[in-house]
């Protein structure tokens, strides 16, 4: 039966042992990935600097001027630690997600497991899609906006040049990646809520105007204080909200078909009896 679970009554100590085992696997995967990423921290950081080079090229500047600085002896070291932790979380996420799923799956009904499993695949893919949008478009655009504010020396004017710090540049790109990655989870979250009956497409459509305002407010909080990145996050968020409404409608249609099929099966069985 679809309503059966694999969960069996267990003492609390056995649940804690199971939880400890899953945590060990998750932390072990993160630690191993962290070691590998820390060894390649400089190449990884150089890869993150590529969007800045694109912005320098867009601004019509010499690529030799695309440089970053650090003003404290330990700053670049801790920047590499953050890069390694960031990369380790991305690499170890499939293992961490699978361990979470294995811990909670025995307590789920079989139909709930079948419904939940696709979202474990969709969630990281949508996160990577948001991160790719940041890497290939929004980070170069934001850095180009900041580079355009530089001032050349002239009569009555002094030279004002942008010299980003390695830690601040990393904080900027990580903030954008996490912001877009989380926003791109919106269709997953709304579809899950629609499956359990908490939300429906009509309610989402009715609240569209309020969501647009909230999207711009959240974008202003999560992104740097420049209009390009704020609008750049708000517009995809609104588009994803429309995708979420469509996904909720699909869930409702599938639920209606399942209910109709169940009614037909019940009617046919009653006729046979």
């Amino acid at each position: 039966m679809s309503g059966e679970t694999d969960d069996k009554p267990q003492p609390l100590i056995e649940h804690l042992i199971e939880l400890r085992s899953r945590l060990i696997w998750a932390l072990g995967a993160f630690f191993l990935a962290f070691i590998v990423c820390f060894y390649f921290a400089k190449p990884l950081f150089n890869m993150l600097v590529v969007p800045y080079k694109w912005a320098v090229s867009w601004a019509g500047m010499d690529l030799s001027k695309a440089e970053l600085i650090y003003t404290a002896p330990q700053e670049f070291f801790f920047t590499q630690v953050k890069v390694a932790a960031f990369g380790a979380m991305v690499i170890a996420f499939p293992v961490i997600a699978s361990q979470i799923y294995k811990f909670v799956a025995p307590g789920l009904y079989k139909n709930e497991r079948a419904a939940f499993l696709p979202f474990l695949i969709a969630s990281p893919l949508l996160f990577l899609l948001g991160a790719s949008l940041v890497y290939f478009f929004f980070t170069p655009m934001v850095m180009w906006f900041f580079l355009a504010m530089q001032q050349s020396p002239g009569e009555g004017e002094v030279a004002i040049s942008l010299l980003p710090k390695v830690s601040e540049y990393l904080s900027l790109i990580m903030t954008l990646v996490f912001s877009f990655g989380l926003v791109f989870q919106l269709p997953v979250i709304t579809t899950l809520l629609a499956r359990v009956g908490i939300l429906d497409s009509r309610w989402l459509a009715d609240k569209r105007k309020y969501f647009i305002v909230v999207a711009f407010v959240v974008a202003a909080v999560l992104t740097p204080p420049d209009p390009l990145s704020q609008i750049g996050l708000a517009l995809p968020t609104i588009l994803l909200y429309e995708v979420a409404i469509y996904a909720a409608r699909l869930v409702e249609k599938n639920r209606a078909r399942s209910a109709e099929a169940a009614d037909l099966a019940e009617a046919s069985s009653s006729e046979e009896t």
Side-chain angles (χ1 to χ4, degrees), residues 46-110:
N46 287 330
M47 186 175 66
L48 293 176
V49 174
V50 171
Y52 177 53
K53 293 181 178 179
W54 292 340
V56 171
S57 179
W58 293 357
M61 299 169 55
D62 188 355
L63 285 178
S64 62
K65 295 184 179 180
E67 59 178 323
L68 303 176
I69 64 170
Y70 61 97
T71 57
Q74 74 280 5
E75 181 179 345
F76 190 43
F77 171 78
F78 285 112
T79 299
Q80 293 180 72
V81 171
K82 291 179 181 179
V83 169
F86 179 71
M89 182 58 68
V90 173
I91 294 173
F93 178 80
V95 177
I96 296 173
S98 66
Q99 293 303 312
I100 294 174
Y101 176 76
K102 289 178 180 179
F103 181 72
V104 301
L108 299 175
Y109 292 109
K110 290 185 178 180

XYZ file of all heavy atoms in Angstrom, residues 46-110:
514
model
N 40.899 32.513 -8.197
C 41.166 33.097 -9.514
C 39.996 32.873 -10.470
O 39.701 33.729 -11.320
C 42.441 32.495 -10.109
C 43.693 32.997 -9.417
O 43.735 34.116 -8.918
N 44.721 32.163 -9.366
N 39.321 31.725 -10.316
C 38.141 31.475 -11.140
C 37.010 32.429 -10.777
O 36.277 32.910 -11.647
C 37.690 30.024 -10.967
C 36.561 29.618 -11.892
S 36.150 27.865 -11.751
C 35.512 27.821 -10.071
N 36.886 32.745 -9.481
C 35.857 33.688 -9.052
C 36.166 35.116 -9.484
O 35.254 35.951 -9.556
C 35.703 33.636 -7.527
C 35.150 32.338 -6.932
C 35.153 32.412 -5.411
C 33.746 32.067 -7.440
N 37.435 35.398 -9.773
C 37.839 36.746 -10.192
C 37.558 36.976 -11.674
O 37.541 38.114 -12.133
C 39.334 36.981 -9.874
C 39.831 38.305 -10.421
C 39.562 36.947 -8.362
N 37.301 35.899 -12.431
C 37.052 36.032 -13.871
C 35.921 37.021 -14.177
O 36.060 37.860 -15.087
C 36.773 34.649 -14.494
C 36.290 34.789 -15.943
C 38.025 33.794 -14.450
N 34.775 37.005 -13.467
C 33.742 38.013 -13.743
C 34.239 39.447 -13.559
O 33.794 40.344 -14.276
C 32.641 37.673 -12.727
C 32.825 36.223 -12.451
C 34.299 35.998 -12.491
N 35.150 39.663 -12.612
C 35.729 40.999 -12.422
C 36.558 41.393 -13.642
O 36.518 42.545 -14.088
C 36.572 41.028 -11.156
C 37.263 42.343 -10.903
C 36.565 43.540 -10.890
C 38.636 42.388 -10.677
C 37.199 44.750 -10.671
C 39.287 43.588 -10.449
C 38.562 44.763 -10.452
O 39.195 45.953 -10.233
N 37.286 40.433 -14.213
C 38.054 40.715 -15.427
C 37.126 41.073 -16.584
O 37.432 41.957 -17.383
C 38.924 39.515 -15.797
C 40.048 39.222 -14.807
C 40.872 38.032 -15.270
C 42.025 37.752 -14.323
N 42.824 36.566 -14.753
N 35.999 40.368 -16.671
C 35.030 40.707 -17.712
C 34.517 42.132 -17.530
O 34.363 42.875 -18.508
C 33.863 39.734 -17.674
C 34.223 38.329 -18.072
C 35.313 37.940 -18.785
C 33.497 37.143 -17.759
N 35.316 36.576 -18.944
C 34.216 36.056 -18.331
C 32.327 36.877 -17.069
C 33.777 34.737 -18.222
C 31.892 35.564 -16.947
C 32.607 34.510 -17.518
N 34.255 42.518 -16.276
C 33.771 43.871 -16.007
C 34.816 44.911 -16.396
O 34.481 45.964 -16.948
C 33.406 44.010 -14.525
N 36.086 44.635 -16.116
C 37.168 45.544 -16.504
C 37.204 45.690 -18.023
O 37.374 46.796 -18.562
C 38.522 45.031 -15.975
C 39.678 45.841 -16.565
C 38.558 45.112 -14.452
N 37.004 44.569 -18.728
C 36.980 44.617 -20.191
C 35.782 45.409 -20.696
O 35.901 46.193 -21.642
C 36.948 43.190 -20.746
O 36.895 43.189 -22.150
N 34.609 45.224 -20.067
C 33.422 45.983 -20.462
C 33.628 47.479 -20.260
O 33.108 48.289 -21.031
C 32.206 45.528 -19.658
C 31.766 44.129 -19.950
C 32.300 43.266 -20.872
C 30.712 43.412 -19.302
N 31.646 42.064 -20.840
C 30.666 42.115 -19.889
C 29.814 43.731 -18.286
C 29.738 41.151 -19.496
C 28.903 42.770 -17.882
C 28.864 41.495 -18.481
N 34.375 47.833 -19.217
C 34.621 49.247 -18.920
C 35.681 49.857 -19.837
O 35.982 51.050 -19.717
C 35.033 49.412 -17.462
N 36.239 49.057 -20.734
C 37.243 49.556 -21.655
C 38.593 49.813 -21.015
O 39.393 50.603 -21.543
N 38.877 49.149 -19.919
C 40.133 49.342 -19.214
C 41.126 48.254 -19.585
O 40.760 47.192 -20.100
C 39.883 49.339 -17.693
C 38.966 50.433 -17.206
S 38.464 50.183 -15.468
C 40.053 50.063 -14.667
N 42.378 48.515 -19.296
C 43.434 47.539 -19.518
C 43.289 46.406 -18.496
O 43.115 46.655 -17.300
C 44.800 48.209 -19.381
C 45.936 47.293 -19.800
O 45.668 46.113 -20.100
O 47.093 47.764 -19.813
N 43.356 45.160 -18.973
C 43.194 44.019 -18.069
C 44.294 43.958 -17.010
O 44.121 43.313 -15.968
C 43.177 42.714 -18.870
C 41.874 42.423 -19.640
C 42.007 41.131 -20.419
C 40.686 42.346 -18.691
N 45.433 44.627 -17.269
C 46.496 44.645 -16.268
C 46.075 45.418 -15.022
O 46.697 45.286 -13.965
C 47.770 45.262 -16.858
O 47.541 46.610 -17.248
N 45.014 46.234 -15.143
C 44.520 46.990 -13.995
C 43.497 46.198 -13.179
O 42.991 46.705 -12.169
C 43.899 48.302 -14.463
C 44.902 49.260 -15.107
C 44.249 50.580 -15.473
C 45.267 51.545 -16.083
N 44.660 52.837 -16.457
N 43.202 44.998 -13.623
C 42.263 44.159 -12.872
C 43.018 43.489 -11.730
O 43.502 42.364 -11.846
C 41.638 43.119 -13.787
N 43.146 44.201 -10.627
C 43.887 43.676 -9.485
C 43.069 43.822 -8.207
O 42.222 44.710 -8.093
C 45.220 44.405 -9.325
C 45.094 45.914 -9.130
C 46.448 46.563 -8.922
O 47.294 45.936 -8.259
O 46.641 47.691 -9.406
N 43.317 42.929 -7.280
C 42.703 42.964 -5.961
C 43.810 43.100 -4.927
O 44.950 42.708 -5.165
C 41.889 41.690 -5.692
C 40.783 41.353 -6.695
C 40.153 40.011 -6.335
C 39.727 42.430 -6.730
N 43.477 43.663 -3.787
C 44.474 43.884 -2.747
C 43.984 43.288 -1.431
O 42.794 42.970 -1.284
C 44.773 45.387 -2.553
C 43.518 46.121 -2.049
C 45.289 46.014 -3.841
C 43.786 47.554 -1.606
N 44.917 43.107 -0.498
C 44.535 42.803 0.882
C 45.401 43.659 1.791
O 46.577 43.895 1.529
C 44.635 41.313 1.221
C 45.986 40.676 1.104
C 46.801 40.522 2.234
C 46.451 40.179 -0.113
C 48.039 39.897 2.147
C 47.688 39.562 -0.212
C 48.473 39.416 0.915
O 49.691 38.800 0.817
N 44.774 44.175 2.852
C 45.406 45.191 3.692
C 45.796 44.672 5.064
O 46.361 45.411 5.859
C 44.457 46.387 3.865
O 43.218 45.942 4.413
C 44.189 47.064 2.525
N 45.489 43.423 5.347
C 45.893 42.808 6.616
C 46.666 41.538 6.301
O 46.336 40.830 5.334
C 44.675 42.494 7.485
N 47.696 41.215 7.073
C 48.522 40.035 6.760
C 47.718 38.744 6.643
O 48.015 37.890 5.810
C 49.510 39.974 7.932
C 49.570 41.363 8.462
C 48.197 41.943 8.256
N 46.702 38.584 7.490
C 45.947 37.334 7.518
C 44.737 37.350 6.593
O 44.038 36.339 6.467
C 45.476 37.036 8.943
C 44.328 37.905 9.444
C 44.779 39.286 9.912
O 45.945 39.638 9.780
N 43.856 40.047 10.449
N 44.466 38.472 5.930
C 43.219 38.616 5.181
C 43.099 37.601 4.049
O 42.057 36.945 3.900
C 43.111 40.035 4.613
C 41.824 40.284 3.839
C 41.737 41.701 3.306
O 42.525 42.564 3.758
O 40.882 41.938 2.440
N 44.152 37.453 3.246
C 44.058 36.543 2.105
C 43.986 35.085 2.557
O 43.335 34.255 1.914
C 45.247 36.751 1.158
C 45.100 36.036 -0.154
C 43.899 36.042 -0.838
C 46.163 35.344 -0.702
C 43.746 35.378 -2.048
C 46.032 34.667 -1.908
C 44.819 34.691 -2.575
N 44.630 34.766 3.679
C 44.547 33.405 4.202
C 43.115 33.051 4.574
O 42.595 31.995 4.196
C 45.465 33.239 5.414
C 45.277 31.936 6.142
C 45.815 30.760 5.639
C 44.535 31.878 7.323
C 45.635 29.545 6.299
C 44.357 30.673 7.982
C 44.903 29.503 7.474
N 42.465 33.941 5.336
C 41.085 33.664 5.732
C 40.137 33.727 4.539
O 39.090 33.058 4.533
C 40.645 34.634 6.822
C 41.232 34.322 8.173
C 42.154 35.166 8.762
C 40.875 33.167 8.847
C 42.703 34.876 10.001
C 41.411 32.866 10.085
C 42.336 33.723 10.670
N 40.500 34.501 3.527
C 39.706 34.496 2.300
C 39.771 33.132 1.630
O 38.754 32.609 1.147
C 40.216 35.580 1.341
O 40.085 36.868 1.964
C 39.414 35.581 0.046
N 40.968 32.527 1.625
C 41.099 31.182 1.062
C 40.325 30.155 1.883
O 39.763 29.200 1.332
C 42.583 30.807 0.990
C 43.385 31.632 -0.005
C 44.848 31.218 -0.026
O 45.204 30.146 -0.515
N 45.711 32.063 0.511
N 40.283 30.337 3.198
C 39.492 29.435 4.045
C 38.013 29.538 3.676
O 37.305 28.521 3.565
C 39.705 29.769 5.536
C 38.730 28.981 6.414
C 41.142 29.465 5.948
N 37.533 30.764 3.469
C 36.128 30.957 3.089
C 35.844 30.354 1.720
O 34.782 29.750 1.505
C 35.792 32.446 3.097
C 35.782 33.077 4.474
C 35.467 34.569 4.385
C 35.490 35.220 5.762
N 35.214 36.679 5.681
N 36.782 30.522 0.785
C 36.616 29.934 -0.542
C 36.533 28.415 -0.437
O 35.690 27.773 -1.079
C 37.775 30.349 -1.469
C 37.753 29.539 -2.767
C 37.692 31.835 -1.792
N 37.421 27.821 0.391
C 37.417 26.372 0.568
C 36.112 25.901 1.199
O 35.542 24.870 0.791
C 38.602 25.951 1.428
N 35.622 26.629 2.192
C 34.359 26.256 2.835
C 33.191 26.378 1.868
O 32.289 25.523 1.835
C 34.133 27.130 4.066
N 33.220 27.418 1.055
C 32.165 27.637 0.054
C 32.166 26.497 -0.964
O 31.131 25.906 -1.276
C 32.391 28.978 -0.626
C 31.380 29.312 -1.689
C 30.083 29.634 -1.369
C 31.745 29.302 -3.025
C 29.154 29.939 -2.348
C 30.832 29.601 -4.012
C 29.535 29.923 -3.669
N 33.359 26.158 -1.481
C 33.453 25.069 -2.437
C 33.099 23.726 -1.829
O 32.458 22.885 -2.470
N 33.504 23.510 -0.575
C 33.211 22.243 0.097
C 31.711 22.055 0.291
O 31.185 20.946 0.145
C 33.929 22.188 1.439
N 31.009 23.132 0.618
C 29.564 23.030 0.795
C 28.874 22.668 -0.513
O 27.942 21.848 -0.535
C 29.005 24.350 1.328
C 27.512 24.332 1.599
S 27.007 23.049 2.777
C 27.757 23.689 4.279
N 29.349 23.242 -1.614
C 28.756 22.934 -2.917
C 29.028 21.481 -3.299
O 28.136 20.749 -3.749
C 29.308 23.891 -3.996
C 28.832 23.473 -5.387
C 28.883 25.324 -3.711
N 30.278 21.031 -3.106
C 30.648 19.675 -3.495
C 29.977 18.632 -2.603
O 29.502 17.589 -3.077
C 32.181 19.513 -3.448
C 32.836 20.401 -4.513
C 32.582 18.060 -3.656
C 34.344 20.430 -4.443
N 29.914 18.913 -1.306
C 29.378 17.926 -0.361
C 27.861 17.964 -0.244
O 27.282 17.100 0.431
C 29.995 18.151 1.026
N 27.212 18.921 -0.881
C 25.759 19.049 -0.726
C 25.001 17.779 -1.117
O 24.067 17.386 -0.400
C 25.227 20.228 -1.536
C 23.734 20.381 -1.442
C 23.161 20.991 -0.337
C 22.900 19.903 -2.445
C 21.776 21.111 -0.238
C 21.529 20.020 -2.356
C 20.964 20.632 -1.257
N 25.344 17.103 -2.238
C 24.605 15.862 -2.546
C 24.698 14.810 -1.437
O 23.707 14.140 -1.136
C 25.284 15.369 -3.832
C 25.846 16.597 -4.459
C 26.282 17.458 -3.309
N 25.878 14.690 -0.815
C 26.031 13.722 0.277
C 25.219 14.167 1.491
O 24.523 13.357 2.121
C 27.518 13.562 0.648
C 27.674 12.610 1.834
C 28.315 13.063 -0.542
N 25.293 15.460 1.822
C 24.551 15.974 2.977
C 23.048 15.798 2.772
O 22.322 15.339 3.671
C 24.908 17.455 3.218
C 26.396 17.588 3.577
C 24.036 18.043 4.322
C 26.871 19.028 3.656
N 22.560 16.145 1.570
C 21.134 16.010 1.280
C 20.696 14.553 1.324
O 19.606 14.233 1.840
C 20.824 16.618 -0.089
N 21.531 13.661 0.799
C 21.167 12.238 0.823
C 21.117 11.688 2.244
O 20.255 10.863 2.572
C 22.160 11.434 -0.019
O 23.452 11.453 0.565
N 22.015 12.155 3.114
C 22.009 11.694 4.501
C 20.769 12.205 5.244
O 20.175 11.485 6.056
C 23.284 12.154 5.225
C 24.559 11.520 4.706
C 24.530 10.009 4.766
O 24.176 9.408 5.779
N 24.911 9.373 3.664
N 20.376 13.440 4.953
C 19.149 13.971 5.556
C 17.943 13.154 5.090
O 17.059 12.788 5.883
C 18.969 15.457 5.192
C 20.092 16.295 5.830
C 17.606 15.973 5.651
C 20.088 17.743 5.409
N 17.928 12.859 3.782
C 16.808 12.095 3.234
C 16.754 10.687 3.834
O 15.683 10.191 4.191
C 16.941 12.016 1.717
C 15.880 11.159 1.068
C 14.574 11.625 0.915
C 16.174 9.873 0.608
C 13.595 10.844 0.338
C 15.194 9.084 0.030
C 13.917 9.576 -0.113
O 12.948 8.792 -0.679
N 17.923 10.030 3.977
C 17.955 8.684 4.532
C 17.513 8.664 5.991
O 16.967 7.659 6.469
C 19.361 8.096 4.405
C 19.748 7.748 2.977
C 21.172 7.213 2.913
C 21.566 6.867 1.493
N 22.968 6.374 1.397
N 17.733 9.784 6.707
C 17.327 9.832 8.115
C 15.817 9.988 8.251
O 15.198 9.380 9.132
C 18.045 10.977 8.821
C 17.705 11.095 10.277
C 18.175 10.177 11.202
C 16.893 12.132 10.729
C 17.844 10.280 12.545
C 16.560 12.245 12.069
C 17.037 11.317 12.976
N 15.211 10.815 7.387
C 13.775 11.089 7.519
C 12.917 10.149 6.684
O 11.719 9.999 6.950
C 13.451 12.551 7.131
C 14.220 13.509 7.999
C 13.749 12.817 5.657
N 13.502 9.473 5.663
C 12.702 8.649 4.750
C 11.955 7.523 5.437
O 10.794 7.251 5.076
C 13.601 8.093 3.642
N 12.549 6.817 6.425
C 11.780 5.717 7.048
C 10.488 6.171 7.703
O 9.567 5.365 7.881
C 12.765 5.161 8.092
C 14.113 5.495 7.560
C 13.938 6.833 6.914
N 10.388 7.435 8.088
C 9.178 7.933 8.716
C 8.165 8.488 7.743
O 7.104 8.965 8.163
N 8.457 8.425 6.446
C 7.544 8.939 5.428
C 6.757 7.805 4.796
O 7.227 6.665 4.716
C 8.325 9.689 4.332
C 9.140 10.910 4.764
C 9.929 11.449 3.575
C 8.249 11.997 5.337
N 5.550 8.108 4.336
C 4.802 7.147 3.544
C 5.487 6.976 2.187
O 6.218 7.846 1.730
C 3.357 7.615 3.350
C 2.544 7.615 4.622
C 2.173 8.823 5.216
C 2.147 6.425 5.218
C 1.438 8.839 6.391
C 1.409 6.428 6.389
C 1.055 7.638 6.973
O 0.343 7.643 8.133
N 5.222 5.861 1.539
C 5.883 5.587 0.265
C 5.538 6.627 -0.797
O 6.387 7.027 -1.587
C 5.503 4.188 -0.230
C 6.105 3.065 0.614
C 5.796 1.700 0.026
C 6.457 0.597 0.857
N 6.181 -0.753 0.327
